[in-house]
């Protein structure tokens, strides 16, 4: 990426011309963690635990989508179906699920173009049936995708062939058929090096993890923020993009997550082995670091490349996977680190001094909708590790896991010319 900086600077100069210089922006923004954006923080009450008749986990690999039923008591995974993907020389790049549990979407890319596969989900066993008109052809190369909590819109972040510019594309979802229709004005400019995308619980704001050129600072890791309009179109949030750390793009942030209170945003800084926590202004969607941010992940002075961040539905715990650092001297030894979340200010406090071991090179982590179990996708061997969340947030590995769930390891988000992030999603249905 370093050798492309001059080209990136020229390409993105216009995109960032109107942005406020980050150093000034953060000097002038209040860091009072109890008053995001200068407004009084609303009282947050922990949501009651949710229960579902069934929960499903879906795993993506280069040729199929595997559906598993999650045992609500033990967390065990039972394979129900494998749905072939007719890719036409394309490979899957990301997976997204409608929180309603009705549809699942897979983006793909290859020499024949780019597409979105849309499936209806059988509420009995998670089996997938193609939506009429699927796959839907798209113009951009998707990196990561997400469905708004409202279930109305699907968005994906993309990166062009030269990895020079990124964009976010939006589609409205037909509530009955699941068919997709492009949002007016899509795609929307989004800096460069797209890596992840998320939407806040209220479906008002969208954030993309990526990079941008900043005056006097070169290319740095950022969160690009948008307001989601009623028709699904995106409008840039004032002073966006927001920097994640102070380093260049040697290791851009690969994950972004929003707290269930809709007040805090979390993004790792792999280069500095830490995680940044931001106040989310409830009116504008603007981000400002909370007091004490960033928070260290892992052991001091050991680069461990923190990646995916998973937040439990109750808002009490955060889990961060690291690609290394779980075992000293083992580069691929991955681990998942647990944190208590202060619901008042969003800050993080480690649950344990050491990580819980995962498979090699973990790349994604999710929590089941009921908030009982953590699932981690391991890129190196195409497996999923699973853990029970005990009292206080400590993790206990589930017996019989990790299990190999992908017959062809490597399926998942496409970045930098190869599959780098295995994708798994989960949903609860009644």
């Amino acid at each position: 990426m370093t050798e492309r900086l001059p080209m990136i600077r020229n390409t993105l100069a216009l995109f960032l011309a109107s942005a406020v210089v980050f150093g000034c922006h953060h000097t002038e923004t209040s860091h009072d963690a109890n008053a995001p954006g200068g407004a009084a923080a609303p009282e947050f009450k922990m949501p009651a635990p949710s229960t579902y008749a069934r929960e499903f986990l879906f795993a993506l690999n280069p040729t199929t989508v595997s559906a598993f039923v999650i045992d609500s008591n033990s967390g065990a995974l039972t394979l129900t179906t494998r749905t072939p993907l007719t890719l036409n020389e394309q490979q899957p790049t990301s997976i997204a699920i409608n929180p309603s549990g009705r549809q699942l979407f897979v983006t793909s890319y290859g020499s024949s173009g780019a597409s979105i596969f849309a499936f209806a989900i059988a509420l009995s066993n998670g089996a997938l049936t193609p939506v009429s008109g699927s796959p839907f052809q798209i113009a951009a190369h998707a990196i990561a995708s997400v469905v708004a909590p409202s279930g109305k819109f699907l968005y994906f972040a993309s990166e062009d062939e030269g990895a020079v510019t990124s964009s976010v594309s939006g589609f409205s979802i037909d509530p009955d058929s699941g068919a997709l229709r492009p949002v007016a004005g899509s795609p929307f400019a989004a800096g460069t090096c797209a890596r992840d995308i998320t939407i806040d619980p209220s479906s008002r704001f969208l954030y993309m993890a990526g990079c941008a050129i900043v005056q006097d600072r070169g290319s740095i890791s950022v969160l690009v923020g948008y307001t989601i309009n009623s028709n699904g179109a995106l409008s840039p949030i004032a002073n966006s993009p927001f920097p994640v750390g102070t380093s260049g793009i040697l290791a851009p942030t690969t994950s972004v997550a929003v707290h269930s209170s809709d007040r805090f945003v979390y993004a790792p800084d792999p280069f500095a082995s830490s995680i940044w926590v931001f106040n989310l202004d409830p009116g504008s969607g603007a981000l400002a670091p909370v007091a004490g941010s960033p928070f260290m992940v892992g052991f001091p002075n050991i680069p461990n490349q923190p990646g995916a961040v998973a937040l439990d539905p109750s808002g009490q715990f955060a889990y961060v996977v690291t690609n290394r650092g779980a075992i000293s001297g083992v580069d691929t030894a991955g681990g998942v680190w647990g944190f208590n979340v202060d619901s008042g200010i969003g800050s993080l406090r480690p649950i344990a001094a050491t990580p819980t071991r995962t498979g090699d090179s973990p790349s994604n982590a999710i929590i089941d909708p009921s908030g009982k179990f953590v699932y981690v996708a391991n890129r190196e061997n195409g497996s999923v590790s699973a853990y029970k969340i005990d009292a206080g947030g400590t993790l206990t590995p589930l017996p019989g896991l990790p299990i190999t769930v992908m017959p062809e390891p490597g399926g998942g988000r496409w970045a930098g010319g190869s599959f780098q992030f295995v994708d798994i999603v989960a949903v609860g249905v009644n």
Side-chain angles (χ1 to χ4, degrees):
M1 184 67 72
T2 303
E3 65 272 18
R4 290 196 294 263
L5 288 181
M7 180 168 55
I8 295 174
R9 288 192 179 95
N10 293 335
T11 305
L12 295 180
L14 180 61
F15 171 71
L16 292 168
S18 61
V20 174
V21 176
F22 293 143
C24 297
H25 169 62
H26 283 283
T27 300
E28 297 169 357
T29 301
S30 170
H31 289 186
D32 180 357
N34 291 304
E43 180 183 2
F44 173 60
K45 296 181 179 179
M46 293 295 183
S50 300
T51 57
Y52 300 91
R54 286 166 299 282
E55 289 187 339
F56 303 120
L57 181 145
F58 297 90
L60 185 63
N61 70 66
T63 59
T64 65
V65 178
S66 301
F68 298 83
V69 173
I70 300 174
D71 186 289
S72 60
N73 295 314
S74 69
L77 301 175
T78 300
L79 177 67
T80 59
T81 63
R82 291 193 193 276
T83 302
L85 296 173
T86 305
L87 298 174
N88 190 26
E89 299 182 359
Q90 297 178 25
Q91 292 181 293
T93 58
S94 72
I95 188 170
I97 197 162
N98 195 322
S100 68
R102 298 185 64 182
Q103 295 102 17
L104 181 138
F105 303 93
V106 176
T107 62
S108 65
Y109 173 78
S111 59
S112 63
S115 304
I116 298 178
F117 291 80
F119 299 96
I121 301 172
L123 301 185
S124 58
N125 64 356
L128 302 177
T129 302
V131 165
S132 178
S134 177
F136 298 90
Q137 189 172 18
I138 55 178
H141 166 196
I143 298 290
S145 54
V146 65
V147 176
S150 66
K152 294 181 178 180
F153 305 107
L154 166 73
Y155 297 91
F156 68 81
S158 62
E159 188 174 70
D160 70 6
E161 289 286 351
V164 176
T165 59
S166 295
S167 63
V168 175
S169 299
F171 298 83
S172 62
I173 303 172
D174 186 287
D176 297 317
S177 69
L180 301 176
R181 185 175 60 184
V183 164
S186 179
F188 305 91
T192 189
C193 71
R195 289 296 179 266
D196 195 20
I197 188 172
T198 193
I199 296 174
D200 78 312
S202 69
S203 297
R204 294 181 300 158
F205 307 114
L206 179 149
Y207 301 95
M208 188 201 84
C211 309
I213 304 299
V214 181
Q215 184 178 338
D216 299 325
R217 293 177 63 181
S219 185
I220 67 171
S221 184
V222 299
L223 297 179
V224 185
Y226 304 88
T227 296
I228 301 175
N229 301 316
S230 59
N231 65 350
L234 302 179
S235 300
I237 292 173
N239 297 326
S240 170
F242 307 98
V244 179
T246 58
S247 63
I249 57 172
L250 298 176
T253 183
T254 57
S255 179
V256 56
V258 183
H259 191 263
S260 58
S261 67
D262 220 352
R263 295 171 55 199
F264 312 112
V265 174
Y266 297 78
D269 181 354
F271 184 75
S273 297
S274 62
I275 182 168
W276 285 79
V277 184
F278 300 88
N279 283 312
L280 190 163
D281 187 294
S284 68
L287 304 179
V290 306
S293 194
F295 301 88
M296 187 182 71
V297 180
F299 302 113
N301 303 317
I302 298 179
N304 53 39
Q305 298 180 347
V309 179
L311 301 170
D312 87 298
S314 72
Q316 300 178 78
F317 310 118
Y319 299 93
V320 183
V321 298
T322 56
N323 290 318
R324 58 182 63 180
I327 300 177
S328 178
V330 182
D331 276 350
T332 60
V336 55
W337 302 77
F339 297 86
N340 285 300
V341 178
D342 187 314
S343 63
I345 61 176
S347 60
L348 300 176
R349 178 170 53 85
I351 292 173
T354 58
T356 302
R357 184 75 164 90
T358 66
D360 287 348
S361 299
S363 57
N364 197 6
I366 60 173
I367 297 176
D368 77 303
S370 69
K372 297 179 181 178
F373 310 103
V374 175
Y375 297 92
V376 177
N378 305 301
R379 182 176 71 247
E380 288 298 313
N381 56 8
S383 70
V384 169
S385 304
Y387 313 86
K388 179 183 178 183
I389 301 176
D390 298 321
T394 58
L395 297 180
T396 299
L398 298 185
L401 293 164
I403 61 172
T404 299
V405 298
M406 289 165 280
E408 299 178 53
R413 297 180 194 165
W414 174 286
S418 64
F419 287 112
Q420 295 186 8
F421 304 97
V422 173
D423 250 358
I424 52 176
V425 294
V427 70
V429 297
N430 288 311

